[in-house]
Amino acid sequence: MIDAVSIDLFRDLFPHLWRLLVPSVLMQLIINAPCSYFRLMDNFTGLIEFIPGLIWSLYYSWQRQNYSLEFRQIFVTLCVCLWSLRLGGFLIYRMLIIGPLDTRIDNLRRKYGQLGVLGFWCGPHGFWSFICCLPVTLLHTLPLIEGKSNISDWIGITIWLCGFIMETWADRNKLQAKLVREGKYYHLGVLWNYCRNPNHCGEVFCWLGLSIIGFNLFFHQSSYQYNLCIFVLLLIGPLFTLSAMLFEATLTSEIKNNQRFGHQLDYLQYRKQTSILWPIPSIFYLRLPSWIRKICFFEFNLYSEGLKKQIE
């Protein structure tokens, strides 16, 4: 049951949410959909999809808070802007060097035509920034009187920084491998010793770190302390990112590697001893019971789709 306090929360949150959603959907219609139709460019709107809405939301907070901002509101906004600039800049650089690589669009066009492509941009992708930024939006909506940093802040900052470095490093290694046509594209450096998709893990860590910072609202915000809606909204962002990584990006990567390298014994051994997403040394991963690998490390059968054909 949604109580009166939760209704007040959504009423306060709504002006920030539509400020995030409107720029995102407009960019899909104006930039992504036409450009993917003519295959002019890769999907790089991460560079601009998050930033306008967040700055608009932060500006609205500044106006409502008597032209002042709490330090967490500024910090989490800067984190998203830095992540967005890094990702968008990387995608533009990659596009200029080796051309468009967003094969999802080609697959959608073959299966569902242009309406399928338009539905993709205005559907799940149009809500991408809206959902991921829920922890940031909540911090914009509900300033904390307590200004000092605490353990939740430092844990969140540490996880975000680790994720940012991991994703940046992994993206750089993958691009270098493409340029030199690396024969073992499934293993590209130190990060791949601990998990098979470190770039995807890094992105999940970035949004998880911001969510942990946002949990200051759940524990310390006077009006909404221990509010269940706050708790759920703070988890939606990182869970959405985790789902997108596991069932789109990671799944696609695993199937491609299975098809390309499934006949190689060293690849089969690598898959067996290396976690799919969460980083963990192989010596420990091999000793985990199979049920822990499935529940905690996502070793699902669907990631073997391509591999079985090679074995047969």
Side-chain angles (χ1 to χ4, degrees):
M1 180 180 292
I2 300 180
D3 55 19
V5 174
S6 299
I7 293 174
D8 289 340
L9 168 63
F10 285 107
R11 185 182 60 204
D12 293 338
L13 190 60
F14 179 75
H16 296 271
L17 293 179
W18 73 256
R19 282 172 169 79
L20 274 173
L21 185 61
V22 169
S24 179
V25 173
L26 286 177
M27 286 175 192
Q28 312 309 321
L29 292 172
I30 296 171
I31 300 177
N32 269 342
C35 289
S36 63
Y37 178 80
F38 294 106
R39 292 304 277 139
L40 294 176
M41 60 185 68
D42 201 352
N43 165 34
F44 68 91
T45 51
L47 177 63
I48 52 177
E49 185 172 348
F50 288 78
I51 296 175
L54 278 178
I55 292 178
W56 194 7
S57 171
L58 188 66
Y59 178 73
Y60 179 71
S61 298
W62 179 70
Q63 289 181 313
R64 291 195 64 200
Q65 295 165 202
N66 296 320
Y67 307 103
S68 64
L69 293 169
E70 195 253 339
F71 84 93
R72 292 183 185 87
Q73 295 175 321
I74 299 173
F75 179 78
V76 295
T77 304
L78 289 175
C79 283
V80 177
C81 289
L82 179 60
W83 174 86
S84 181
L85 288 170
R86 200 287 310 173
L87 177 61
F90 167 76
L91 292 176
I92 291 176
Y93 177 69
R94 185 185 71 176
M95 178 187 67
L96 293 175
I97 293 178
I98 55 182
L101 288 174
D102 202 340
T103 56
R104 300 171 301 174
I105 304 306
D106 294 328
N107 295 333
L108 281 170
R109 186 182 290 110
R110 282 194 297 268
K111 291 181 179 179
Y112 307 108
Q114 294 303 329
L115 283 178
V117 175
L118 182 62
F120 171 76
W121 289 126
C122 296
H125 210 280
F127 286 85
W128 179 30
S129 61
F130 174 83
I131 297 174
C132 286
C133 290
L134 276 173
V136 180
T137 309
L138 282 167
L139 284 166
H140 285 182
T141 305
L142 306 172
L144 287 163
I145 298 176
E146 175 58 51
K148 295 181 180 179
S149 59
N150 53 43
I151 187 65
S152 180
D153 294 318
W154 289 109
I155 292 174
I157 291 169
T158 301
I159 292 176
W160 183 88
L161 187 60
C162 289
F164 184 78
I165 294 172
M166 183 183 295
E167 187 178 12
T168 303
W169 188 0
D171 280 344
R172 177 178 176 272
N173 287 351
K174 292 190 74 171
L175 180 59
Q176 287 178 332
K178 281 185 177 293
L179 294 176
V180 300
R181 300 185 183 278
E182 176 64 53
K184 289 186 177 181
Y185 187 61
Y186 59 87
H187 191 296
L188 305 176
V190 175
L191 292 176
W192 275 262
N193 291 333
Y194 301 99
C195 65
R196 305 203 299 263
N197 297 277
N199 51 329
H200 303 159
C201 177
E203 183 159 343
V204 175
F205 278 6
C206 282
W207 295 109
L208 177 61
L210 297 182
S211 180
I212 291 174
I213 295 173
F215 265 95
N216 280 290
L217 298 174
F218 181 73
F219 292 112
H220 305 299
Q221 220 284 338
S222 57
S223 300
Y224 299 101
Q225 192 174 32
Y226 305 123
N227 182 276
L228 180 60
C229 286
I230 291 283
F231 182 84
V232 172
L233 289 171
L234 287 169
L235 289 178
I236 288 176
L239 288 177
F240 173 80
T241 303
L242 177 62
S243 299
M245 293 299 105
L246 286 176
F247 300 112
E248 184 190 7
T250 299
L251 180 60
T252 301
S253 175
E254 288 292 303
I255 292 174
K256 286 183 178 179
N257 285 334
N258 290 343
Q259 292 171 343
R260 292 173 63 185
F261 308 109
H263 61 284
Q264 298 179 11
L265 292 178
D266 55 346
Y267 173 70
L268 299 176
Q269 181 63 28
Y270 172 72
R271 288 187 84 258
K272 181 179 179 181
Q273 67 185 22
T274 310
S275 164
I276 191 169
L277 189 69
W278 304 136
I280 179 174
S282 298
I283 189 172
F284 298 124
Y285 188 68
L286 286 170
R287 296 179 181 180
L288 293 176
S290 59
W291 64 272
I292 291 183
R293 292 192 197 185
K294 287 183 180 294
I295 295 175
C296 299
F297 290 89
F298 316 115
E299 282 294 344
F300 305 140
N301 292 333
L302 58 90
Y303 296 117
S304 297
E305 187 179 329
L307 183 64
K308 294 179 180 179
K309 294 180 181 179
Q310 294 288 345
I311 293 175
E312 293 171 357

